[in-house]
Amino acid sequence: MDDPLNWSADDQERALRAIAPWYQLDFGRLTDDADMLLELCAPGQRVLELGSGNGRLAIPLAEHGCDVTAVDSSDAMLAAGQRQMQQAGVRVFRADMRCLELSQDFDLIVFGLSTFQHLLRRRDQLGALRTAQRHLASGGRLLIDWTAPRPDDIEPAPQVMQVEWSRRSESGALVTKSAGQELALDRRCGDALDRALPIAWITYQYDALEEDGLVRRSVARFPLRVNLGAGEMTGLLAEAGLRAVDWFGSWDLDPVGDGDRLIVIAEAAP
């Protein structure tokens, strides 16, 4: 089994190149998290999304009247939404969120839809949080949204690949997505804390049945930090000069435990 702590930026880009053509078909129907952000953000506010991907969240925020800046390190994901983000007036930067330096600050900074879980090492998590802390305006807020811990996350037996959906693409192809997860047990590099944190290998498989009868398969396998709890996040925020002010368990802003998300709103520590 591969060591996920050896995962490189090139490895990540290869995985995202496989996902990018299908990302909108996969996640474009998901709007609940965007609706949450629109409730929390007033028109005219300056918003920074870290790990914006194809702009699925950045675009509706810009259309809402926010001044939006989107940052992502993936050429493939940014290219997938370049035209739509440009039309919506989103400013786009290809950059590493762990060491970003922009010449402005923001009223709201967002890590959307489990983006933070792609940061596998504590130093990477702290680097991204310190980026957010540096770019918060006075009174500004940071929002992080990720998957709440589940018992399956730390189950050593691999999960069987499951079909998640079948949909028609814009070209008319019938696309079927399957997904699976396997806990990463082989971790030799990194410090003791990094090696102890639960990381899973996630596999996405997209099978496109074209009009010529051929099936074209795209497979992406990537590591994801799992089982990240509120206590650990509170400690990370404090170390980065931030403090949590609100916690929610769903995109409807239900209490923690009433949904399958963990959402924290934080601000700069006094």
Side-chain angles (χ1 to χ4, degrees), residues 39-237:
E39 288 291 325
L40 294 172
C41 192
Q45 287 193 310
R46 299 159 297 171
V47 180
L48 171 64
E49 185 184 2
L50 296 172
S52 63
N54 71 340
R56 186 185 63 84
L57 295 176
I59 291 167
L61 283 166
E63 293 173 343
H64 182 61
C66 297
D67 180 5
V68 181
T69 298
V71 173
D72 203 286
S73 60
S74 169
D75 288 324
M77 291 300 294
L78 290 175
Q82 181 177 5
R83 179 175 60 84
Q84 293 87 349
M85 285 193 281
Q86 186 176 36
Q87 290 174 344
V90 177
R91 284 186 303 279
V92 178
F93 292 90
R94 184 192 177 281
D96 187 332
M97 70 174 73
R98 297 168 298 179
C99 53
L100 178 70
E101 293 289 349
L102 298 176
S103 58
Q104 70 174 115
D105 52 22
F106 297 88
D107 304 301
L108 178 66
I109 300 177
V110 176
F111 292 92
L113 194 62
S114 304
T115 294
F116 196 82
Q117 291 177 260
H118 290 278
L119 300 167
L120 305 180
R121 296 174 183 264
R122 187 175 179 85
R123 71 186 185 207
D124 297 329
Q125 296 168 335
L126 288 171
L129 290 174
R130 286 169 177 150
T131 289
Q133 194 272 346
R134 287 195 305 274
H135 289 86
L136 276 177
S138 176
R141 298 170 296 167
L142 167 67
L143 183 145
I144 310 173
D145 167 21
W146 74 100
T147 306
R150 305 171 301 180
D152 287 351
D153 289 338
I154 52 175
E155 170 58 51
Q159 296 180 17
V160 177
M161 292 285 287
Q162 300 281 348
V163 173
E164 291 193 349
W165 51 256
S166 291
R167 298 170 185 167
R168 291 283 178 186
S169 70
E170 290 184 359
S171 69
L174 179 63
V175 182
T176 300
K177 179 193 176 184
S178 302
Q181 176 173 317
E182 181 177 4
L183 193 66
L185 301 174
D186 182 6
R187 278 173 283 168
R188 296 175 300 277
C189 69
D191 60 27
L193 179 57
D194 288 338
R195 292 196 300 272
L197 298 176
I199 298 171
W201 286 107
I202 309 297
T203 301
Y204 286 174
Q205 178 177 295
Y206 301 95
D207 290 320
L209 176 60
E210 304 286 359
E211 292 182 354
D212 58 12
L214 295 177
V215 175
R216 292 173 173 82
R217 172 169 290 177
S218 301
V219 178
R221 182 172 180 262
F222 56 92
L224 196 72
R225 174 64 213 285
V226 294
N227 214 49
L228 175 60
E232 183 182 345
M233 179 61 78
T234 298
L236 288 166
L237 290 169

Side-chain angles (χ1 to χ4, degrees), residues 2-17:
D2 299 328
D3 184 347
L5 293 176
N6 281 325
W7 190 252
S8 69
D10 288 342
D11 294 328
Q12 183 78 352
E13 186 65 13
R14 278 191 291 272
L16 291 172
R17 278 201 299 269

